[in-house]
Each structure stands twice: as C-alpha cells, then as structure tokens.
Amino acid sequence: MLKIYKSMESGPLQELTLKTLEKGAWINIVDPTPYELKVVSNLTEVDPDFLRSALDDEERSHTDIEDDSVMVLTNVAVNRGEDSYDALPLAIIVSEDYIITVCLEETPVMSEFNERTAKLFRTYKKTRFLFQILYKSATFYLRYLRQISKLSDDIENQLRHDMKNSEILRLLELQKGLTYFNAAIRSNGAVLDKLLRMRNNPALTPILKAYEEDEDLLEDVIIENKQAKEMVEMYSKILARMADTFTSIIANNQNLVMKFLAAMTIIIAIPTVVSSFFGMNVPVPFTDDSHGFFYIMMIAFGISITGAYALWKKDMF
C-alpha cells in the first residue's frame, strides 16, 4: 500500500498520487511491492536499500546517511493480541524534498498521523515530523508498558487463586514482549543519541533543518525513551521474580501432595500387612475363634489410627 499526503497551509492533509507528487510530501509505504519501491526510488532519488531496510522484521534500529538523504530506522511497538507484544522496524527517510516512511504493516504509531490530527504536524517540516514520529513511538512504548503492568497484576491475582497453565503461559507471553521491547528501546536510544550529535553536522543542515523547538522535541523524545527503558527493565525484573515465585509455589505444592500421598500409602498399607500376616497357611492366633475376623480388623484399625496420629504429629498431613 502506498499513500502520499501533503499538509496544506490551512491545516488539512491533501492526498496526492505518484503523478501529482510535490515537494514537501509525505510518502507512506506499507508492505510494498518491488514495483512500488522501484517507482518511489526513481521519483525521489532515494537509495533503494533505504526503502528496503524496514522489510526485514529482525532489523535493529540504526541510521544511514547518503549525500542527499538520511535514513532513520527505529523499532515501534505493536500489540499482537491481548497478551502478545512485539517491535517492528519502521524506516523514516528524510531527503531535501520528501519524507518517506516504510513499514511491513500498518502500525498504531503511523495511524496517529491522519486527517483528524493533521493540524498537529506538517509534512513539509520534515525534521520536526521525524521527531514527532519518534516521540509518538516512545509514547506507545509507555502506553503498552502500562498495559503489561495491569495484565501482570491480573495474572498474579488469578495465580494466587488457581495455578492454571493458561495463566502461566500468559505470563510467558508478557515476558517475551518485554524482551522485544527491551532490545528495541535500547537500540532506539542509540539512534536518538546519534541524531542528537548529527544536528550539529553542517553537511546535514540542508536535509535535517532543526530549529530550537525541534531540538526541544528531540530532547523530549530522548527523555520518553529513557523512561520507557527504565520501565521495561523494572517490569522485566518484576515478571521474572513473579515467575520464579510461582514456580517455587508450584514445586512446594507438589511436594505437599507427594508427602500427603506417601502418608496415605503408609496408612493404607497397614491393614494389608496385618491381613497378609493372618492369611498365612500356618497356625496363627484366632484361627479357631469365631470372632477372629473382628479382632483382626480391630488390630489393623488400631495400628492404622496409631500410625496416622504419628504421621500427623510429624506434619505429614
């Protein structure tokens, strides 16, 4: 999918086509075909490798610079389901005339830039638009991290009442999502630090024209990313300890069950031993007694009660 927009001076977004492409336009490419990449590369004179960089879902955040364009590849947070989170590469290419975004799928971050929010950004203010995308990405990390915190609390409450495998698997999914977030946020932080250094590079001034308020926005992005980094590290430790705690509880409960079963096995074995003794084919007590069976049962019952009491005193129940 390929969409082209340009902010009008009055505020709304104007949708363009490849034939009516103008300077200052934003080219948004989602899951592109080779033909779309080739056409965009030819029209904008952007390196095709820049356009293809975000099509590898394992690509880590980095920046690349060519003579007439800068590519910032960042990882944005995505929600795959109720408990499943992931990070997806998003390439933002800034040239002298255009800003281009490339991603494998539609993301919540880029969906925030639409007709409804058109007055909050300008496609022709490319550097500020770049920082706004990065800022929105950082805020989504914080939003999803808060969701993960609430989900982990719900899972903890469920596990306190019932140790279900489904809840433990949910906990595993959250841990996996935090691992993806941790790696993405760290690499995003390195990219932001590099952008902070690049703003003073005279050679990039024609491409990345940063004004004072743009620099303030970049600093806000760095602060948000650091906050997300601290939160993901804290939640990762909390979930890891929670998993260890409930693993220990499960193991302890299993030991209690095994101890109870061992005690019951001993008690049940006592009547069997007594009846086996009196069932031998040799003369035994109560052989000729009409009440012998009753006496034997009383003996077995008495020994069992005594054994059960002894085991109870040893906390086997």
Side-chain angles (χ1 to χ4, degrees):
M1 184 187 73
L2 189 151
K3 295 285 186 179
I4 304 174
Y5 303 97
K6 183 179 180 181
S7 297
M8 301 174 66
E9 291 294 338
S10 57
L13 283 177
Q14 177 186 7
E15 187 167 354
L16 306 175
T17 65
L18 290 173
K19 294 182 179 180
T20 60
L21 184 63
E22 298 178 6
K23 291 183 179 180
W26 164 35
I27 304 174
N28 184 32
I29 308 173
V30 178
D31 192 18
T33 63
Y35 173 76
E36 290 175 334
L37 294 178
K38 183 179 179 180
V39 171
V40 171
S41 178
N42 291 336
L43 289 175
T44 61
E45 297 181 354
V46 170
D47 189 342
D49 290 337
F50 279 9
L51 299 175
R52 288 192 293 265
S53 58
L55 302 183
D56 180 5
D57 57 2
E58 299 296 330
E59 191 75 21
R60 293 293 92 191
S61 302
H62 64 276
T63 60
D64 282 328
I65 303 172
E66 289 292 337
D67 296 335
D68 55 355
S69 59
V70 175
M71 191 273 291
V72 177
L73 192 141
T74 184
N75 280 270
V76 297
V78 291
N79 186 355
R80 301 295 189 188
E82 183 182 358
D83 306 312
S84 182
Y85 296 87
D86 199 358
L88 197 66
L90 169 68
I92 310 168
I93 301 107
V94 181
S95 67
E96 292 188 22
D97 298 327
Y98 311 102
I99 182 167
I100 307 169
T101 56
V102 186
C103 194
L104 277 171
E105 59 186 68
E106 189 70 39
T107 63
V109 172
M110 297 312 301
S111 297
E112 290 289 310
F113 300 95
N114 50 45
E115 285 284 354
R116 182 173 51 83
T117 61
K119 294 183 178 181
L120 302 178
F121 65 95
R122 293 291 182 269
T123 60
Y124 48 80
K125 295 181 179 180
K126 299 181 292 297
T127 303
R128 185 181 303 177
F129 190 24
L130 164 65
F131 294 161
Q132 285 176 320
I133 294 173
L134 296 176
Y135 183 83
K136 186 61 67 175
S137 174
T139 59
F140 264 93
Y141 275 111
L142 293 174
R143 180 185 301 182
Y144 288 148
L145 285 170
R146 293 187 186 98
Q147 290 181 7
I148 289 175
S149 177
K150 291 180 181 179
L151 288 171
S152 64
D153 289 341
D154 292 340
I155 293 172
E156 181 181 358
N157 291 332
Q158 292 290 335
L159 289 174
R160 284 178 182 272
H161 295 90
D162 191 4
M163 294 285 182
K164 291 183 179 179
N165 290 339
S166 59
E167 301 303 325
I168 297 175
L169 292 175
R170 288 180 64 196
L171 192 62
L172 176 62
E173 282 293 327
L174 293 183
Q175 286 181 308
K176 187 166 65 173
L178 284 176
T179 302
Y180 292 145
F181 279 10
N182 189 32
I185 291 171
R186 285 179 179 275
S187 57
N188 287 352
V191 168
L192 294 174
D193 291 339
K194 189 171 182 180
L195 284 175
L196 196 61
R197 296 191 299 269
M198 287 168 56
R199 64 179 179 173
N200 297 322
N201 187 346
L204 297 176
T205 302
I207 304 172
L208 295 177
K209 296 179 181 178
Y211 300 96
E212 184 177 352
E213 54 188 22
D214 298 335
E215 294 180 356
D216 292 340
L217 180 57
L218 177 58
E219 291 175 358
D220 290 341
V221 177
I222 293 173
I223 292 172
E224 292 291 303
N225 193 76
K226 287 182 178 178
Q227 183 181 352
K229 179 182 177 182
E230 292 172 357
M231 288 179 65
V232 76
E233 289 176 351
M234 179 179 65
Y235 291 152
S236 295
K237 291 179 180 178
I238 290 173
L239 285 184
R241 290 175 181 175
M242 187 190 302
D244 291 341
T245 300
F246 283 111
T247 299
S248 300
I249 292 174
I250 292 171
N252 184 61
N253 290 342
Q254 185 178 10
N255 290 337
L256 291 175
V257 171
M258 294 302 296
K259 185 169 68 171
F260 175 77
L261 291 177
M264 290 301 298
T265 301
I266 294 172
I267 294 171
I268 294 173
I270 291 173
T272 304
V273 172
V274 173
S275 60
S276 298
F277 175 79
F278 282 96
M280 292 186 294
N281 293 326
V282 294
V284 293
F286 313 120
T287 300
D288 300 322
D289 195 321
S290 60
H291 299 92
F293 177 77
F294 175 75
Y295 297 147
I296 294 171
M297 292 297 296
M298 291 297 296
I299 292 172
F301 183 73
I303 297 175
S304 296
I305 292 296
T306 303
Y309 178 76
L311 293 173
W312 176 73
K313 293 292 289 183
K314 292 183 176 294
D315 197 28
M316 292 292 290
F317 290 103

